[in-house]
Amino acid sequence: MSSPETTPTASGARRIKPPAVAMAIGIGFAIVVVVSGIAATALQWHDDSAVQREVFINIPSAWKAIFYTVLPILIVVGAIAFANRIKNWQRGGPDARATT
């Protein structure tokens, strides 16, 4: 029995389905956001040059933590929604929405 992420082809090799690719990209972006938030906080990246762009000026650490917690969750939810849309496209049928 094949897993939902792969389908057997005529040659017997398994092929990755497009919804799985969309999910992998979304999860990858979410991981990058989490790692960048943790790395910036843990490594205390600061620039001492005269011309610079301050990030999160006067924003408390709690709000930064909320930002870096909620944003990856929203990215994964968006990836799930897009993967479901891809499944719908693959079916070839219209959305089940009332137009009235």
Side-chain angles (χ1 to χ4, degrees):
M1 179 178 244
S2 66
S3 67
E5 294 84 24
T6 60
T7 54
T9 59
S11 65
R14 294 181 184 248
R15 189 176 70 95
I16 297 173
K17 289 186 176 182
V21 172
M23 285 295 300
I25 291 170
I27 291 170
F29 275 116
I31 289 171
V32 167
V33 168
V34 169
V35 169
S36 69
I38 292 172
T41 302
L43 300 175
Q44 293 295 315
W45 290 335
H46 295 290
D47 188 8
D48 295 330
S49 62
V51 178
Q52 64 182 353
R53 178 180 167 263
E54 286 290 328
V55 181
F56 290 122
I57 300 173
N58 297 327
I59 304 224
S61 294
W63 282 106
K64 292 179 199 176
I66 290 170
F67 175 80
Y68 282 111
T69 302
V70 171
L71 189 62
I73 292 169
L74 292 176
I75 291 171
V76 170
V77 168
I80 292 169
F82 189 63
N84 288 336
R85 174 60 65 184
I86 292 173
K87 288 178 190 176
N88 211 16
W89 290 335
Q90 285 181 318
R91 263 198 338 252
D95 276 342
R97 289 190 266 178
T99 57
T100 57

